Amino acid sequence: MTVETINTAALTSASNYYEDFKAGDVWRHARGKTMTEMDNVLLTNLVLNTAEGHFNEDRMQKAGGGIFSQRVVFGGINLSFVIGLAAQDTGEQVLAELEMDKVRLRHPVFHGDTLYAFTEVMEKSESDRPDAGRVRFRHYGINQDEKLCVEAERLVLIKKRAAWAGGRA
């Protein structure tokens, strides 16, 4: 999967109801996010992650034989940003987040890297509510060099148009 070869759709609106999603569809979301030092250090410390690999540049440079010679952005931040970048297209009509599964942090993200989000619709199913259905998404975060950095599946309960928008398209 590359930034240039993904078939993109124009779902950037508040009209993303259950009926609008089709298994197999893939979207490149409208925005990217460049990871700043502030993003990494502030959020890593706010969640009490004390791993020095996220906020001690001196130690990383002097580690000698370590995996990385610079600070790495905390994977929880990368995942959160990818889900956030996808939210305008996949979350506007969501009633409940049901599950986050199969989270994989495939490639490190460093300060200055930019993540772009992609979403694949994995499956749709009826729910026990007549006004909503379930949609499983696979979200991807790809950096500026087209390296797959983040991958996760997300299951949501999402509104049906007929019940929530009066049947309007």
mmCIF file of all heavy atoms in Angstrom, residues 35-37 39-41 43-45 49 51-57 59-61 66-78 105-113 149:
data_model
loop_
_atom_site.group_PDB
_atom_site.id
_atom_site.type_symbol
_atom_site.label_atom_id
_atom_site.label_comp_id
_atom_site.label_asym_id
_atom_site.label_seq_id
_atom_site.Cartn_x
_atom_site.Cartn_y
_atom_site.Cartn_z
ATOM 1 N N MET A 35 4.682 14.759 13.633
ATOM 2 C CA MET A 35 4.936 14.559 15.055
ATOM 3 C C MET A 35 5.985 15.538 15.549
ATOM 4 O O MET A 35 7.100 15.569 15.031
ATOM 5 C CB MET A 35 5.434 13.138 15.320
ATOM 6 C CG MET A 35 4.401 12.104 15.033
ATOM 7 S SD MET A 35 2.968 12.361 16.082
ATOM 8 C CE MET A 35 2.137 10.840 15.808
ATOM 9 N N THR A 36 5.623 16.302 16.538
ATOM 10 C CA THR A 36 6.566 17.270 17.089
ATOM 11 C C THR A 36 7.143 16.741 18.396
ATOM 12 O O THR A 36 6.617 15.797 19.003
ATOM 13 C CB THR A 36 5.867 18.618 17.361
ATOM 14 O OG1 THR A 36 4.926 18.442 18.423
ATOM 15 C CG2 THR A 36 5.174 19.151 16.115
ATOM 16 N N GLU A 37 8.203 17.364 18.828
ATOM 17 C CA GLU A 37 8.787 17.015 20.117
ATOM 18 C C GLU A 37 7.765 17.239 21.226
ATOM 19 O O GLU A 37 7.646 16.441 22.160
ATOM 20 C CB GLU A 37 10.036 17.854 20.356
ATOM 21 C CG GLU A 37 10.719 17.565 21.667
ATOM 22 C CD GLU A 37 11.996 18.352 21.852
ATOM 23 O OE1 GLU A 37 12.262 19.290 21.081
ATOM 24 O OE2 GLU A 37 12.729 18.022 22.793
ATOM 25 N N ASP A 39 4.468 17.017 21.054
ATOM 26 C CA ASP A 39 3.490 15.920 21.044
ATOM 27 C C ASP A 39 4.020 14.745 21.862
ATOM 28 O O ASP A 39 3.342 14.206 22.732
ATOM 29 C CB ASP A 39 3.228 15.419 19.620
ATOM 30 C CG ASP A 39 2.590 16.434 18.709
ATOM 31 O OD1 ASP A 39 1.794 17.265 19.185
ATOM 32 O OD2 ASP A 39 2.876 16.379 17.492
ATOM 33 N N ASN A 40 5.237 14.354 21.555
ATOM 34 C CA ASN A 40 5.816 13.167 22.184
ATOM 35 C C ASN A 40 6.087 13.366 23.672
ATOM 36 O O ASN A 40 5.633 12.580 24.501
ATOM 37 C CB ASN A 40 7.109 12.774 21.466
ATOM 38 C CG ASN A 40 7.707 11.511 22.027
ATOM 39 O OD1 ASN A 40 7.014 10.549 22.311
ATOM 40 N ND2 ASN A 40 9.008 11.522 22.213
ATOM 41 N N VAL A 41 6.822 14.403 24.024
ATOM 42 C CA VAL A 41 7.234 14.581 25.417
ATOM 43 C C VAL A 41 6.036 14.884 26.311
ATOM 44 O O VAL A 41 5.864 14.262 27.370
ATOM 45 C CB VAL A 41 8.323 15.671 25.541
ATOM 46 C CG1 VAL A 41 8.670 15.930 26.997
ATOM 47 C CG2 VAL A 41 9.577 15.244 24.768
ATOM 48 N N LEU A 43 2.681 14.330 25.872
ATOM 49 C CA LEU A 43 1.716 13.239 26.004
ATOM 50 C C LEU A 43 2.327 12.013 26.678
ATOM 51 O O LEU A 43 1.658 11.339 27.464
ATOM 52 C CB LEU A 43 1.125 12.893 24.642
ATOM 53 C CG LEU A 43 0.293 14.022 24.029
ATOM 54 C CD1 LEU A 43 -0.087 13.708 22.596
ATOM 55 C CD2 LEU A 43 -0.926 14.325 24.871
ATOM 56 N N THR A 44 3.587 11.720 26.412
ATOM 57 C CA THR A 44 4.244 10.593 27.073
ATOM 58 C C THR A 44 4.287 10.813 28.577
ATOM 59 O O THR A 44 4.000 9.904 29.362
ATOM 60 C CB THR A 44 5.668 10.387 26.513
ATOM 61 O OG1 THR A 44 5.577 10.100 25.123
ATOM 62 C CG2 THR A 44 6.377 9.237 27.204
ATOM 63 N N ASN A 45 4.627 12.007 28.995
ATOM 64 C CA ASN A 45 4.670 12.306 30.422
ATOM 65 C C ASN A 45 3.271 12.366 31.038
ATOM 66 O O ASN A 45 3.077 11.949 32.183
ATOM 67 C CB ASN A 45 5.429 13.602 30.688
ATOM 68 C CG ASN A 45 6.931 13.391 30.571
ATOM 69 O OD1 ASN A 45 7.489 12.529 31.227
ATOM 70 N ND2 ASN A 45 7.565 14.169 29.716
ATOM 71 N N ASN A 49 4.333 7.488 31.180
ATOM 72 C CA ASN A 49 5.259 6.547 30.550
ATOM 73 C C ASN A 49 6.660 7.067 30.833
ATOM 74 O O ASN A 49 7.048 8.121 30.346
ATOM 75 C CB ASN A 49 5.001 6.465 29.043
ATOM 76 C CG ASN A 49 5.905 5.464 28.350
ATOM 77 O OD1 ASN A 49 7.005 5.173 28.799
ATOM 78 N ND2 ASN A 49 5.435 4.949 27.245
ATOM 79 N N ALA A 51 9.619 5.578 30.140
ATOM 80 C CA ALA A 51 10.685 5.017 29.308
ATOM 81 C C ALA A 51 11.516 6.142 28.702
ATOM 82 O O ALA A 51 11.007 6.981 27.969
ATOM 83 C CB ALA A 51 10.084 4.138 28.215
ATOM 84 N N GLU A 52 12.792 6.166 29.027
ATOM 85 C CA GLU A 52 13.657 7.268 28.578
ATOM 86 C C GLU A 52 13.801 7.345 27.066
ATOM 87 O O GLU A 52 14.165 8.386 26.538
ATOM 88 C CB GLU A 52 15.033 7.137 29.232
ATOM 89 C CG GLU A 52 15.006 7.497 30.694
ATOM 90 C CD GLU A 52 16.401 7.646 31.278
ATOM 91 O OE1 GLU A 52 17.282 6.819 30.972
ATOM 92 O OE2 GLU A 52 16.584 8.612 32.022
ATOM 93 N N GLY A 53 13.505 6.264 26.381
ATOM 94 C CA GLY A 53 13.583 6.279 24.929
ATOM 95 C C GLY A 53 12.639 7.274 24.287
ATOM 96 O O GLY A 53 12.794 7.630 23.123
ATOM 97 N N HIS A 54 11.685 7.782 25.070
ATOM 98 C CA HIS A 54 10.729 8.747 24.549
ATOM 99 C C HIS A 54 11.088 10.188 24.880
ATOM 100 O O HIS A 54 10.602 11.105 24.231
ATOM 101 C CB HIS A 54 9.326 8.460 25.080
ATOM 102 C CG HIS A 54 8.832 7.101 24.733
ATOM 103 N ND1 HIS A 54 8.764 6.643 23.437
ATOM 104 C CD2 HIS A 54 8.385 6.090 25.516
ATOM 105 C CE1 HIS A 54 8.299 5.409 23.440
ATOM 106 N NE2 HIS A 54 8.070 5.047 24.685
ATOM 107 N N PHE A 55 11.947 10.414 25.903
ATOM 108 C CA PHE A 55 12.194 11.804 26.305
ATOM 109 C C PHE A 55 13.627 12.121 26.731
ATOM 110 O O PHE A 55 13.904 13.247 27.099
ATOM 111 C CB PHE A 55 11.208 12.241 27.402
ATOM 112 C CG PHE A 55 11.290 11.442 28.676
ATOM 113 C CD1 PHE A 55 12.201 11.778 29.665
ATOM 114 C CD2 PHE A 55 10.459 10.362 28.877
ATOM 115 C CE1 PHE A 55 12.274 11.048 30.831
ATOM 116 C CE2 PHE A 55 10.528 9.626 30.040
ATOM 117 C CZ PHE A 55 11.442 9.969 31.022
ATOM 118 N N ASN A 56 14.571 11.193 26.631
ATOM 119 C CA ASN A 56 15.953 11.466 27.026
ATOM 120 C C ASN A 56 16.870 11.302 25.816
ATOM 121 O O ASN A 56 17.399 10.214 25.553
ATOM 122 C CB ASN A 56 16.374 10.540 28.169
ATOM 123 C CG ASN A 56 17.729 10.893 28.740
ATOM 124 O OD1 ASN A 56 18.564 11.499 28.074
ATOM 125 N ND2 ASN A 56 17.955 10.504 29.978
ATOM 126 N N GLU A 57 17.057 12.395 25.086
ATOM 127 C CA GLU A 57 17.879 12.377 23.863
ATOM 128 C C GLU A 57 19.324 12.002 24.174
ATOM 129 O O GLU A 57 19.945 11.221 23.445
ATOM 130 C CB GLU A 57 17.815 13.747 23.171
ATOM 131 C CG GLU A 57 18.476 13.793 21.806
ATOM 132 C CD GLU A 57 17.654 13.125 20.716
ATOM 133 O OE1 GLU A 57 16.423 13.033 20.840
ATOM 134 O OE2 GLU A 57 18.257 12.691 19.720
ATOM 135 N N ARG A 59 20.623 10.141 26.557
ATOM 136 C CA ARG A 59 20.762 8.702 26.811
ATOM 137 C C ARG A 59 20.650 7.897 25.512
ATOM 138 O O ARG A 59 21.390 6.933 25.309
ATOM 139 C CB ARG A 59 19.722 8.237 27.806
ATOM 140 C CG ARG A 59 19.847 6.756 28.098
ATOM 141 C CD ARG A 59 19.139 6.398 29.369
ATOM 142 N NE ARG A 59 19.298 4.985 29.603
ATOM 143 C CZ ARG A 59 19.964 4.483 30.619
ATOM 144 N NH1 ARG A 59 20.539 5.275 31.494
ATOM 145 N NH2 ARG A 59 20.036 3.188 30.784
ATOM 146 N N MET A 60 19.728 8.283 24.648
ATOM 147 C CA MET A 60 19.569 7.556 23.386
ATOM 148 C C MET A 60 20.814 7.677 22.521
ATOM 149 O O MET A 60 21.260 6.706 21.924
ATOM 150 C CB MET A 60 18.333 8.058 22.628
ATOM 151 C CG MET A 60 17.019 7.780 23.332
ATOM 152 S SD MET A 60 16.723 6.036 23.685
ATOM 153 C CE MET A 60 16.397 5.429 22.041
ATOM 154 N N GLN A 61 21.412 8.874 22.472
ATOM 155 C CA GLN A 61 22.619 9.072 21.663
ATOM 156 C C GLN A 61 23.824 8.331 22.236
ATOM 157 O O GLN A 61 24.679 7.873 21.488
ATOM 158 C CB GLN A 61 22.925 10.559 21.531
ATOM 159 C CG GLN A 61 21.931 11.279 20.661
ATOM 160 C CD GLN A 61 22.192 12.779 20.575
ATOM 161 O OE1 GLN A 61 23.070 13.311 21.239
ATOM 162 N NE2 GLN A 61 21.403 13.449 19.762
ATOM 163 N N GLY A 66 22.300 0.449 21.138
ATOM 164 C CA GLY A 66 20.850 0.453 21.314
ATOM 165 C C GLY A 66 20.156 0.355 19.970
ATOM 166 O O GLY A 66 20.780 0.468 18.918
ATOM 167 N N ILE A 67 18.858 0.160 20.013
ATOM 168 C CA ILE A 67 18.087 0.013 18.773
ATOM 169 C C ILE A 67 18.046 1.321 18.003
ATOM 170 O O ILE A 67 18.187 1.344 16.785
ATOM 171 C CB ILE A 67 16.659 -0.467 19.087
ATOM 172 C CG1 ILE A 67 16.711 -1.833 19.756
ATOM 173 C CG2 ILE A 67 15.814 -0.526 17.831
ATOM 174 C CD1 ILE A 67 15.373 -2.325 20.255
ATOM 175 N N PHE A 68 17.845 2.441 18.708
ATOM 176 C CA PHE A 68 17.726 3.747 18.069
ATOM 177 C C PHE A 68 18.715 4.714 18.693
ATOM 178 O O PHE A 68 19.020 4.621 19.871
ATOM 179 C CB PHE A 68 16.302 4.302 18.228
ATOM 180 C CG PHE A 68 15.238 3.350 17.786
ATOM 181 C CD1 PHE A 68 14.369 2.781 18.702
ATOM 182 C CD2 PHE A 68 15.101 3.015 16.454
ATOM 183 C CE1 PHE A 68 13.385 1.893 18.309
ATOM 184 C CE2 PHE A 68 14.123 2.123 16.040
ATOM 185 C CZ PHE A 68 13.270 1.556 16.969
ATOM 186 N N SER A 69 19.165 5.684 17.912
ATOM 187 C CA SER A 69 20.100 6.688 18.431
ATOM 188 C C SER A 69 19.417 8.034 18.660
ATOM 189 O O SER A 69 20.079 9.040 18.821
ATOM 190 C CB SER A 69 21.271 6.860 17.457
ATOM 191 O OG SER A 69 20.792 7.297 16.202
ATOM 192 N N GLN A 70 18.094 8.032 18.644
ATOM 193 C CA GLN A 70 17.314 9.237 18.925
ATOM 194 C C GLN A 70 16.005 8.819 19.598
ATOM 195 O O GLN A 70 15.644 7.650 19.585
ATOM 196 C CB GLN A 70 17.036 10.019 17.650
ATOM 197 C CG GLN A 70 16.252 9.228 16.607
ATOM 198 C CD GLN A 70 16.053 9.990 15.325
ATOM 199 O OE1 GLN A 70 15.634 11.138 15.358
ATOM 200 N NE2 GLN A 70 16.348 9.376 14.196
ATOM 201 N N ARG A 71 15.322 9.801 20.176
ATOM 202 C CA ARG A 71 14.058 9.504 20.841
ATOM 203 C C ARG A 71 13.025 8.977 19.852
ATOM 204 O O ARG A 71 12.989 9.394 18.706
ATOM 205 C CB ARG A 71 13.513 10.754 21.532
ATOM 206 C CG ARG A 71 14.321 11.152 22.746
ATOM 207 C CD ARG A 71 13.875 12.480 23.269
ATOM 208 N NE ARG A 71 14.290 13.516 22.308
ATOM 209 C CZ ARG A 71 13.925 14.776 22.355
ATOM 210 N NH1 ARG A 71 13.113 15.194 23.304
ATOM 211 N NH2 ARG A 71 14.348 15.640 21.467
ATOM 212 N N VAL A 72 12.184 8.092 20.347
ATOM 213 C CA VAL A 72 11.116 7.481 19.563
ATOM 214 C C VAL A 72 9.788 7.987 20.111
ATOM 215 O O VAL A 72 9.597 8.060 21.327
ATOM 216 C CB VAL A 72 11.182 5.941 19.685
ATOM 217 C CG1 VAL A 72 10.045 5.282 18.934
ATOM 218 C CG2 VAL A 72 12.519 5.419 19.197
ATOM 219 N N VAL A 73 8.862 8.332 19.225
ATOM 220 C CA VAL A 73 7.538 8.759 19.657
ATOM 221 C C VAL A 73 6.810 7.544 20.244
ATOM 222 O O VAL A 73 6.815 6.451 19.663
ATOM 223 C CB VAL A 73 6.736 9.376 18.494
ATOM 224 C CG1 VAL A 73 5.327 9.746 18.936
ATOM 225 C CG2 VAL A 73 7.457 10.600 17.936
ATOM 226 N N PHE A 74 6.215 7.737 21.406
ATOM 227 C CA PHE A 74 5.471 6.687 22.106
ATOM 228 C C PHE A 74 4.382 6.123 21.189
ATOM 229 O O PHE A 74 3.589 6.863 20.609
ATOM 230 C CB PHE A 74 4.892 7.278 23.397
ATOM 231 C CG PHE A 74 3.908 6.428 24.129
ATOM 232 C CD1 PHE A 74 4.131 5.077 24.345
ATOM 233 C CD2 PHE A 74 2.749 6.988 24.631
ATOM 234 C CE1 PHE A 74 3.227 4.301 25.037
ATOM 235 C CE2 PHE A 74 1.835 6.224 25.339
ATOM 236 C CZ PHE A 74 2.074 4.875 25.528
ATOM 237 N N GLY A 75 4.321 4.805 21.054
ATOM 238 C CA GLY A 75 3.383 4.151 20.150
ATOM 239 C C GLY A 75 1.927 4.454 20.434
ATOM 240 O O GLY A 75 1.102 4.497 19.523
ATOM 241 N N GLY A 76 1.582 4.689 21.701
ATOM 242 C CA GLY A 76 0.206 5.048 22.038
ATOM 243 C C GLY A 76 -0.215 6.364 21.406
ATOM 244 O O GLY A 76 -1.372 6.551 21.020
ATOM 245 N N ILE A 77 0.744 7.276 21.282
ATOM 246 C CA ILE A 77 0.475 8.558 20.618
ATOM 247 C C ILE A 77 0.250 8.325 19.130
ATOM 248 O O ILE A 77 -0.695 8.859 18.531
ATOM 249 C CB ILE A 77 1.627 9.546 20.850
ATOM 250 C CG1 ILE A 77 1.761 9.869 22.338
ATOM 251 C CG2 ILE A 77 1.444 10.813 20.017
ATOM 252 C CD1 ILE A 77 3.032 10.610 22.694
ATOM 253 N N ASN A 78 1.098 7.515 18.520
ATOM 254 C CA ASN A 78 0.965 7.236 17.090
ATOM 255 C C ASN A 78 -0.393 6.617 16.780
ATOM 256 O O ASN A 78 -1.073 7.031 15.841
ATOM 257 C CB ASN A 78 2.084 6.302 16.624
ATOM 258 C CG ASN A 78 3.457 6.855 16.908
ATOM 259 O OD1 ASN A 78 3.659 8.066 16.973
ATOM 260 N ND2 ASN A 78 4.419 5.991 17.105
ATOM 261 N N LEU A 105 2.501 -1.921 16.084
ATOM 262 C CA LEU A 105 3.386 -0.781 15.840
ATOM 263 C C LEU A 105 4.536 -1.318 15.009
ATOM 264 O O LEU A 105 5.455 -1.935 15.528
ATOM 265 C CB LEU A 105 3.844 -0.180 17.166
ATOM 266 C CG LEU A 105 2.688 0.217 18.095
ATOM 267 C CD1 LEU A 105 3.212 0.643 19.456
ATOM 268 C CD2 LEU A 105 1.833 1.300 17.475
ATOM 269 N N ARG A 106 4.467 -1.117 13.708
ATOM 270 C CA ARG A 106 5.335 -1.791 12.747
ATOM 271 C C ARG A 106 6.670 -1.101 12.503
ATOM 272 O O ARG A 106 7.640 -1.754 12.163
ATOM 273 C CB ARG A 106 4.603 -1.937 11.412
ATOM 274 C CG ARG A 106 3.296 -2.668 11.484
ATOM 275 C CD ARG A 106 3.523 -4.134 11.521
ATOM 276 N NE ARG A 106 2.257 -4.854 11.406
ATOM 277 C CZ ARG A 106 2.155 -6.142 11.645
ATOM 278 N NH1 ARG A 106 3.211 -6.837 11.984
ATOM 279 N NH2 ARG A 106 0.990 -6.730 11.543
ATOM 280 N N HIS A 107 6.693 0.214 12.619
ATOM 281 C CA HIS A 107 7.906 0.982 12.294
ATOM 282 C C HIS A 107 7.959 2.181 13.233
ATOM 283 O O HIS A 107 6.930 2.795 13.499
ATOM 284 C CB HIS A 107 7.840 1.435 10.824
ATOM 285 C CG HIS A 107 9.086 2.082 10.326
ATOM 286 N ND1 HIS A 107 10.208 1.368 9.974
ATOM 287 C CD2 HIS A 107 9.392 3.381 10.124
ATOM 288 C CE1 HIS A 107 11.150 2.211 9.575
ATOM 289 N NE2 HIS A 107 10.674 3.428 9.662
ATOM 290 N N PRO A 108 9.140 2.532 13.723
ATOM 291 C CA PRO A 108 9.213 3.660 14.660
ATOM 292 C C PRO A 108 8.867 4.990 14.010
ATOM 293 O O PRO A 108 9.051 5.186 12.815
ATOM 294 C CB PRO A 108 10.674 3.646 15.116
ATOM 295 C CG PRO A 108 11.416 2.993 14.001
ATOM 296 C CD PRO A 108 10.471 1.967 13.434
ATOM 297 N N VAL A 109 8.357 5.885 14.838
ATOM 298 C CA VAL A 109 8.069 7.257 14.423
ATOM 299 C C VAL A 109 8.965 8.161 15.248
ATOM 300 O O VAL A 109 9.078 8.005 16.459
ATOM 301 C CB VAL A 109 6.578 7.605 14.655
ATOM 302 C CG1 VAL A 109 6.297 9.072 14.337
ATOM 303 C CG2 VAL A 109 5.689 6.686 13.814
ATOM 304 N N PHE A 110 9.620 9.107 14.576
ATOM 305 C CA PHE A 110 10.544 10.039 15.226
ATOM 306 C C PHE A 110 9.999 11.456 15.107
ATOM 307 O O PHE A 110 9.135 11.736 14.266
ATOM 308 C CB PHE A 110 11.930 9.960 14.575
ATOM 309 C CG PHE A 110 12.546 8.591 14.655
ATOM 310 C CD1 PHE A 110 12.549 7.748 13.551
ATOM 311 C CD2 PHE A 110 13.116 8.136 15.839
ATOM 312 C CE1 PHE A 110 13.111 6.487 13.618
ATOM 313 C CE2 PHE A 110 13.682 6.870 15.921
ATOM 314 C CZ PHE A 110 13.674 6.048 14.811
ATOM 315 N N HIS A 111 10.513 12.356 15.925
ATOM 316 C CA HIS A 111 10.134 13.769 15.816
ATOM 317 C C HIS A 111 10.388 14.224 14.384
ATOM 318 O O HIS A 111 11.438 13.959 13.816
ATOM 319 C CB HIS A 111 10.947 14.635 16.775
ATOM 320 C CG HIS A 111 10.798 14.225 18.207
ATOM 321 N ND1 HIS A 111 11.698 14.571 19.166
ATOM 322 C CD2 HIS A 111 9.850 13.496 18.839
ATOM 323 C CE1 HIS A 111 11.319 14.083 20.325
ATOM 324 N NE2 HIS A 111 10.199 13.417 20.153
ATOM 325 N N GLY A 112 9.418 14.912 13.812
ATOM 326 C CA GLY A 112 9.530 15.398 12.437
ATOM 327 C C GLY A 112 8.912 14.477 11.404
ATOM 328 O O GLY A 112 8.704 14.886 10.267
ATOM 329 N N ASP A 113 8.618 13.236 11.773
ATOM 330 C CA ASP A 113 7.937 12.334 10.838
ATOM 331 C C ASP A 113 6.468 12.746 10.714
ATOM 332 O O ASP A 113 5.878 13.278 11.651
ATOM 333 C CB ASP A 113 7.984 10.885 11.329
ATOM 334 C CG ASP A 113 9.340 10.219 11.145
ATOM 335 O OD1 ASP A 113 10.227 10.826 10.516
ATOM 336 O OD2 ASP A 113 9.498 9.086 11.626
ATOM 337 N N CYS A 149 3.616 2.265 9.835
ATOM 338 C CA CYS A 149 4.016 2.491 11.226
ATOM 339 C C CYS A 149 3.001 1.945 12.221
ATOM 340 O O CYS A 149 3.382 1.424 13.269
ATOM 341 C CB CYS A 149 4.217 3.990 11.476
ATOM 342 S SG CYS A 149 5.520 4.715 10.466
#
